[in-house]
Amino acid sequence: MGFPLPDTVEELKALLTEEVAGLRSAVRRAADRPAAPVPGEEVTASVRSLSTEPSLPVRGDSGAGCLCSTHEPGASGTCAILDAIPASAVLLEAIRDATGAVRDFRIVAGNRIRSAEWLEAPDRQVGQRFLEARPGAAASGLLAGLADVVAGGKPLEGRVVDYTEQRLGRLHRAPLLYSAARCGEQVLATWRPVQSQTELLTIDAQYLASLGWGNWDLLSGKVTWSEGLSRIFHAEIRMPWTLEQLCDALLPDDLTAFAEFLTSVLAGEEPAWTRIRFLVLGEVRTLDLLGRPVAGTDGRPWAVNLVARDLTPQIRSRRRLADTERESDRLRRQAQAERRVADALREALLPTHSEALAAVGLTVAASYAPAEPDAAVGGDWYKCRLLPDGRVLIAIGDAAGHGLEAVARMAQQRHALAGLAQTGAAAGEITTWLNELVCSDPAEQTATMVTGHIDADHQLHWADAGHPAPLLLRDGRAQPLRTDDRGPLLGALPGYSYQTTTTRLRPGDLLLLYTDGIVERRGEDVTTGIERLADLVTSIPDTAPRALIDAILADPEQQKGHEDDACMLAIRID
């Protein structure tokens, strides 16, 4: 085929039609030429007369025998030709129930070929019911297949039946290849043993390797597909696609590649290979095609053999993997960006004035554990620093949410608190102003906080906005600080006026401020978690702030069910 490659599917189909027409015309011309006589050959009258003599009987002198023993000698019928079939064969008559459904068959005739040593020859079972003669037919699906032949009229072609039957107390098994077709009101069924294990493995291999093959006879137009190719194209094996139909299923971008492939095969190049995408029932299927021409006596390709391997599952898996990798890469970059921001903020969270705090008689330690292991920081925060007026500002809070949005709100609230604390205002006033700031945030997110001051006389003046009260460890016993002025969450009630509570501290006292991630558990009342934490703090012998926090973090019962950010600030009065 020395033609330019087509630009459209219609042009490709026209090219195939022209090539096939030319091939058939050339073969017809060759067939019409008279054969050259062989020297010395003479056609005698006696030989020519053989073509006009009546046919001779096939068996014996009395005419053709009838295998069902019901026809007169010499009568013709389907059963009379069963002996000519080179496989086990029976003629079946359907037995129906009251509803007209096929429930069994009666063996009308059979030949003498046994498909297995343990199976009787069909001619010995004439007159029996099929399930009586072949009791394994129901379990193997064979009976249902034969009933479908009666009901639908479509023949059964090449079905592998794993036939099992119990005889004389032993189970026998044989893989049989069945075919059946309607013969008037009867069914002609044939079967033979699968020739070898290789034949069975070939059928399985097509499925396991997503393989299939087909033959396109260009002279007769007959197309033959394997079961594997029919499965790939979701087509009925008895209705394989022509080359033109394959062209119709092409993706437009693969037209040129498929045209090059077909022209290479028809030009006699072998083996030709390509990767082509077809649209099959709305799904794109990617196939590796290997083609080989079958040359006729004149050297021209009279048929085309194609082998196809379906790569669609692998392509689909690779696409999903690529999508997953892209999404993972995006999330990784986002996490890295959040970590960079969080790392910068974390430095601001840690106490940086420990020497100044020690100078006024305080020992401080803190910890922060985000709910997400890959996150450096979330919405929880704390602050502890010496103010210019000699007071020590302490605070702990929890901005709702996780991720950078929570970090941004946390930073806003923490820095706002630091600025408001410079005014010298009381804890209640600072909390009131901070509440107005959170209420004005368009995000409409809430927050909790405990803030206060420790003055030179070791008095704690503090306010609570919906946050767990600090624990006070004194004389070996820990319990929450009491207040009658606990206010609502920040951002929940605009215009609310928070009050200041005063608690006198003594040397040796230890304050533990914490966020709800320390005490909250799914399905449990928060007061239970607070009591559990108080009991744990009471049981810890070392009351140094760092040792206390480390012991809490190491306790397995305390860490069970940890689902939220967890922050702690421990302050001991020395």
Side-chain angles (χ1 to χ4, degrees):
M1 296 179 67
F3 304 103
L5 291 176
D7 295 323
T8 66
V9 171
E10 295 306 320
E11 290 180 4
L12 177 57
K13 290 161 64 176
L15 192 61
L16 288 172
T17 300
E18 183 178 349
E19 176 68 13
V20 171
L23 171 66
R24 292 174 178 174
S25 178
V27 172
R28 288 192 187 98
R29 286 196 301 271
D32 289 340
R33 298 191 191 104
V38 179
E41 181 185 58
E42 294 183 0
V43 181
T44 64
S46 60
V47 173
R48 281 196 298 269
S49 67
L50 289 176
S51 61
T52 60
E53 288 292 327
S55 299
L56 297 176
V58 177
R59 295 161 57 192
D61 296 330
S62 59
C66 179
L67 299 180
C68 69
S69 304
T70 59
H71 294 113
E72 294 296 328
S76 61
T78 303
C79 59
I81 63 170
L82 293 185
D83 248 357
I85 299 176
S88 300
V90 291
L91 192 62
L92 303 173
E93 185 177 73
I95 299 175
R96 303 176 185 271
D97 60 15
T99 66
V102 176
R103 296 303 180 191
D104 201 350
F105 291 88
R106 182 174 290 102
I107 300 177
V108 176
N111 65 6
R112 297 175 173 82
I113 297 180
R114 300 170 66 181
S115 52
E117 291 183 1
W118 53 273
L119 285 173
E120 291 188 24
D123 65 339
R124 294 191 173 187
Q125 297 173 318
V126 173
Q128 295 182 16
R129 290 195 171 207
F130 190 64
L131 285 180
E132 178 186 358
R134 293 286 185 267
S140 65
L142 175 59
L143 183 66
L146 294 174
D148 289 342
V149 173
V150 175
K154 291 185 178 180
L156 183 73
E157 294 184 358
R159 174 181 291 187
V160 177
V161 175
D162 192 358
Y163 185 78
T164 304
E165 185 178 311
Q166 182 170 336
R167 283 178 177 262
L168 300 177
R170 293 182 55 192
L171 283 175
H172 296 268
R173 173 177 172 268
L176 303 174
L177 195 64
Y178 266 85
S179 296
R182 281 177 57 173
C183 224
E185 295 300 318
Q186 298 172 322
V187 174
L188 176 63
T190 67
W191 65 93
R192 64 172 177 83
V194 175
Q195 294 301 320
S196 65
Q197 188 68 18
T198 302
E199 187 174 350
L200 276 178
L201 292 176
T202 300
I203 295 173
D204 289 341
Q206 293 182 70
Y207 175 76
L208 294 174
S210 297
L211 283 172
W213 48 84
N215 173 271
W216 285 260
D217 190 316
L218 303 180
L219 288 179
S220 66
K222 182 179 179 181
V223 183
T224 304
W225 277 13
S226 71
E227 293 182 4
L229 197 59
S230 300
R231 188 182 301 114
I232 289 172
F233 282 97
H234 297 294
E236 172 62 43
I237 192 170
R238 291 182 291 272
M239 300 179 65
W241 294 5
T242 64
L243 292 176
E244 288 79 4
Q245 288 174 304
L246 286 179
C247 294
D248 288 332
L250 281 172
L251 256 64
D253 290 344
D254 289 3
L255 171 63
T256 300
F258 191 61
E260 289 178 345
F261 171 73
L262 283 183
T263 53
S264 297
V265 174
L266 294 175
E269 299 178 13
E270 56 175 303
W273 174 89
T274 190
R275 180 166 293 177
I276 299 294
R277 294 170 299 167
F278 295 91
L279 189 63
V280 180
L281 297 180
E283 179 187 26
V284 176
R285 306 201 72 83
T286 304
L287 308 184
D288 271 353
L289 296 179
L290 187 66
R292 186 180 71 84
V294 180
T297 55
D298 60 355
R300 300 182 62 169
W302 286 13
V304 172
N305 288 339
L306 295 184
V307 177
R309 185 184 178 204
D310 188 7
L311 301 177
T312 306
Q314 295 93 317
I315 297 293
R316 191 182 297 121
S317 297
R318 291 172 189 168
R319 188 179 298 115
R320 283 197 299 263
L321 179 60
D323 291 342
T324 301
E325 289 178 347
R326 282 193 295 270
E327 179 64 14
S328 298
D329 185 60
R330 184 188 69 79
L331 294 175
R332 187 163 45 249
R333 291 196 302 270
Q334 179 180 336
Q336 289 172 350
E338 291 189 6
R339 180 171 288 277
R340 286 193 295 269
V341 174
D343 286 344
L345 291 171
R346 182 166 52 185
E347 295 302 319
L349 287 175
L350 296 176
T352 55
H353 306 284
S354 56
E355 292 181 4
L357 295 171
V360 296
L362 300 180
T363 301
V364 178
S367 74
Y368 177 80
E372 300 172 3
D374 293 335
V377 72
D380 289 14
W381 59 274
Y382 61 89
K383 196 167 188 68
C384 184
R385 63 175 300 172
L386 182 65
L387 296 176
D389 60 8
R391 296 179 303 166
V392 175
L393 172 66
I394 65 171
I396 193 165
D398 182 0
H402 301 287
L404 283 181
E405 292 184 0
V407 170
R409 289 191 295 274
M410 174 274 293
Q412 179 192 50
Q413 295 162 20
R414 188 173 182 275
H415 292 309
L417 173 70
L420 293 171
Q422 300 297 321
T423 66
E429 291 178 292
I430 292 174
T431 306
T432 298
W433 295 336
L434 193 59
N435 177 57
E436 294 303 316
L437 175 66
V438 177
C439 287
S440 65
D441 188 346
E444 298 182 349
Q445 293 284 353
T446 59
T448 66
M449 182 184 70
V450 164
T451 188
H453 305 94
I454 300 176
D455 60 22
D457 295 331
H458 292 165
Q459 292 193 94
L460 172 65
H461 308 279
W462 60 288
D464 190 327
H467 198 90
L471 288 180
L472 174 61
L473 177 62
R474 175 180 289 174
D475 298 332
R477 181 185 177 192
Q479 59 184 353
L481 292 181
R482 296 183 180 279
T483 178
D484 297 327
D485 297 314
R486 189 184 189 204
L489 280 67
L490 297 176
L493 191 59
Y496 184 84
S497 180
Y498 291 83
Q499 303 300 310
T500 302
T501 299
T502 298
T503 302
R504 184 168 184 80
L505 302 176
R506 302 194 307 230
D509 285 351
L510 184 140
L511 280 176
L512 179 65
L513 287 73
Y514 56 92
T515 57
D516 55 9
I518 295 291
V519 294
E520 282 189 342
R521 298 292 181 271
R522 187 185 299 273
E524 178 184 84
D525 188 85
V526 69
T527 57
T528 302
I530 293 174
E531 292 172 359
R532 180 172 53 245
L533 177 61
D535 291 342
L536 175 60
V537 171
T538 299
S539 68
I540 297 172
D542 192 344
T543 59
R546 174 49 55 192
L548 182 79
I549 287 178
D550 290 344
I552 294 172
L553 295 176
D555 184 73
E557 184 63 29
Q558 181 62 35
Q559 296 305 310
K560 188 183 301 181
H562 175 67
E563 297 180 352
D564 199 359
D565 299 339
C567 184
M568 287 184 287
L569 176 64
I571 306 166
R572 188 179 65 186
I573 311 299
D574 295 329

mmCIF file of all heavy atoms in Angstrom, residues 206 240 316 434 455:
data_model
loop_
_atom_site.group_PDB
_atom_site.id
_atom_site.type_symbol
_atom_site.label_atom_id
_atom_site.label_comp_id
_atom_site.label_asym_id
_atom_site.label_seq_id
_atom_site.Cartn_x
_atom_site.Cartn_y
_atom_site.Cartn_z
ATOM 1 N N GLN A 206 -5.208 -15.816 28.616
ATOM 2 C CA GLN A 206 -5.819 -14.637 28.007
ATOM 3 C C GLN A 206 -6.443 -13.739 29.058
ATOM 4 O O GLN A 206 -6.351 -12.508 28.980
ATOM 5 C CB GLN A 206 -6.887 -15.062 26.996
ATOM 6 C CG GLN A 206 -6.343 -15.761 25.780
ATOM 7 C CD GLN A 206 -7.447 -16.094 24.806
ATOM 8 O OE1 GLN A 206 -8.022 -15.208 24.180
ATOM 9 N NE2 GLN A 206 -7.753 -17.375 24.689
ATOM 10 N N PRO A 240 -17.728 -10.600 16.213
ATOM 11 C CA PRO A 240 -16.478 -9.833 16.292
ATOM 12 C C PRO A 240 -16.510 -8.616 15.376
ATOM 13 O O PRO A 240 -17.271 -8.565 14.412
ATOM 14 C CB PRO A 240 -15.423 -10.851 15.842
ATOM 15 C CG PRO A 240 -16.168 -11.789 14.949
ATOM 16 C CD PRO A 240 -17.549 -11.901 15.523
ATOM 17 N N ARG A 316 -4.592 2.972 34.069
ATOM 18 C CA ARG A 316 -5.461 3.567 35.071
ATOM 19 C C ARG A 316 -4.744 3.650 36.421
ATOM 20 O O ARG A 316 -4.823 4.668 37.125
ATOM 21 C CB ARG A 316 -6.739 2.738 35.195
ATOM 22 C CG ARG A 316 -7.834 3.404 36.013
ATOM 23 C CD ARG A 316 -9.042 2.503 36.143
ATOM 24 N NE ARG A 316 -9.636 2.225 34.858
ATOM 25 C CZ ARG A 316 -9.786 1.009 34.348
ATOM 26 N NH1 ARG A 316 -9.380 -0.043 35.021
ATOM 27 N NH2 ARG A 316 -10.346 0.837 33.161
ATOM 28 N N LEU A 434 -10.027 42.088 74.648
ATOM 29 C CA LEU A 434 -9.669 41.030 73.699
ATOM 30 C C LEU A 434 -10.920 40.355 73.141
ATOM 31 O O LEU A 434 -10.967 39.948 71.972
ATOM 32 C CB LEU A 434 -8.756 40.001 74.378
ATOM 33 C CG LEU A 434 -8.050 39.001 73.452
ATOM 34 C CD1 LEU A 434 -7.190 39.723 72.432
ATOM 35 C CD2 LEU A 434 -7.194 38.029 74.263
ATOM 36 N N ASP A 455 1.731 39.578 91.161
ATOM 37 C CA ASP A 455 2.407 40.808 91.603
ATOM 38 C C ASP A 455 3.524 40.470 92.574
ATOM 39 O O ASP A 455 3.809 39.293 92.867
ATOM 40 C CB ASP A 455 1.394 41.776 92.212
ATOM 41 C CG ASP A 455 0.665 41.197 93.413
ATOM 42 O OD1 ASP A 455 1.200 40.257 94.033
ATOM 43 O OD2 ASP A 455 -0.438 41.679 93.725
#
